Amino acid sequence: GASASAVPAAAPAAARLASWPSPSGQQAVGATINVSGTYDGKLKRYYGTGALGSGGQQEGQSPIFKLADGAVLKNVVLGSPAADGIHCTGTCTLQNVWWEDVGEDAATFKGTSSSQTMTVDGGGARAASDKVFQHNGPGTMVIKNFQVQNFGKLYRSCGNCSKQYKRNVVIQNVTATTPGKVLAGINTNYGDTARFSQITIVNDGSRKVVVCDKYKGVTSGEPTRIGSGADGVNCLYSSSDIVYR
């Protein structure tokens, strides 16, 4: 037969994603847990109570976990209500973290350094009426080996933060199951980039999920949506990077 080298290289197949875990127990959280170093939740379900127990959509809620620069949070299930989820104040890693019912946002990336990286590796999120990952500071967010279902936007570069930055997002080996609206929303006027590979979109026969939405971001008021789709500059992917099933 033909040698293997004669066969064009296929786009790498998406690696198999973990199935949703059953929590090992649960813990009510009445005040934000501050994490520096590594925190292993051993797949317990953490949920808000008291001041963290409203489950509302208002901005400015406190998070269940607040991660210092360099912190790692792993093996955690966030139940409902999850307040404002997780806040990262610099570089951070969320490993095998699952959101059963996203409140306002699952995680918000803050910080001030353009070299910081927030990595979400593994895990999944359900029921995000608005955003799953909110990127307010500068730097790069990597979302990989992740699954999302019933969501508004998987990722949004802040459209109207009072201080704006160039932001980058890399979305790799992610399965998105409808209903869902947008995988990433970025501000092209600040030079944002969104790079996609090994994306699987499930139950979207009419191709309604937008892979990459472009906005003109602002420092006050509301951002303007100015288009969508791959452009080789800000929204970086080709049709082979997106699989429908």
Side-chain angles (χ1 to χ4, degrees):
S3 69
S5 60
V7 179
R16 205 166 157 276
L17 298 176
S19 49
W20 275 77
S22 296
S24 62
Q26 54 183 21
Q27 182 172 330
V29 180
T32 298
I33 298 170
N34 290 294
V35 178
S36 53
T38 299
Y39 185 104
D40 185 345
K42 303 196 161 62
L43 277 180
K44 259 196 302 200
R45 175 191 286 129
Y46 294 79
Y47 64 95
T49 187
L52 297 179
S54 73
Q57 274 293 311
Q58 72 271 22
E59 296 281 352
Q61 291 187 84
S62 295
I64 301 281
F65 291 97
K66 183 176 179 184
L67 275 55
D69 187 31
V72 177
L73 179 68
K74 63 182 186 180
N75 304 322
V76 162
V77 178
L78 279 98
S80 176
D84 203 32
I86 295 166
H87 288 182
C88 278
T89 60
T91 290
C92 67
T93 301
L94 308 182
Q95 212 173 347
N96 196 35
V97 174
W98 302 82
W99 288 263
E100 293 180 325
D101 186 344
V102 174
E104 163 58 34
D105 302 315
T108 304
F109 186 24
K110 300 186 168 192
T112 54
S113 167
S114 61
S115 63
Q116 66 191 10
T117 304
M118 177 178 180
T119 304
V120 177
D121 186 359
R126 290 176 172 153
S129 54
D130 190 10
K131 300 169 295 279
V132 180
F133 298 116
Q134 171 76 25
H135 193 167
N136 291 352
T140 300
M141 181 157 184
V142 178
I143 304 164
K144 61 183 181 179
N145 310 318
F146 192 78
Q147 49 199 300
V148 61
Q149 54 196 78
N150 188 7
F151 62 101
K153 291 182 178 75
L154 173 60
Y155 167 91
R156 179 68 171 104
S157 170
C158 184
N160 57 1
C161 282
S162 57
K163 185 159 187 187
Q164 288 286 25
Y165 304 94
K166 173 190 193 307
R167 306 181 181 99
N168 307 296
V169 63
V170 177
I171 301 178
Q172 176 189 359
N173 191 30
V174 167
T175 297
T177 303
T178 62
K181 292 183 181 147
V182 177
L183 293 185
I186 61 172
N187 307 313
T188 55
N189 57 313
Y190 298 125
D192 290 359
T193 65
R195 199 175 287 274
F196 303 82
S197 60
Q198 297 166 265
I199 305 297
T200 303
I201 301 178
V202 182
N203 298 336
D204 187 24
S206 48
R207 307 285 195 267
K208 283 204 176 117
V209 173
V210 177
V211 174
C212 191
D213 247 344
K214 296 175 242 198
Y215 290 85
K216 182 180 180 190
V218 292
T219 51
S220 66
E222 286 303 313
T224 313
R225 184 175 177 272
I226 52 177
S228 64
D231 56 23
V233 179
N234 303 100
C235 291
L236 303 164
Y237 62 98
S238 60
S239 55
S240 62
D241 293 311
I242 317 293
V243 173
Y244 292 87
R245 69 170 169 82

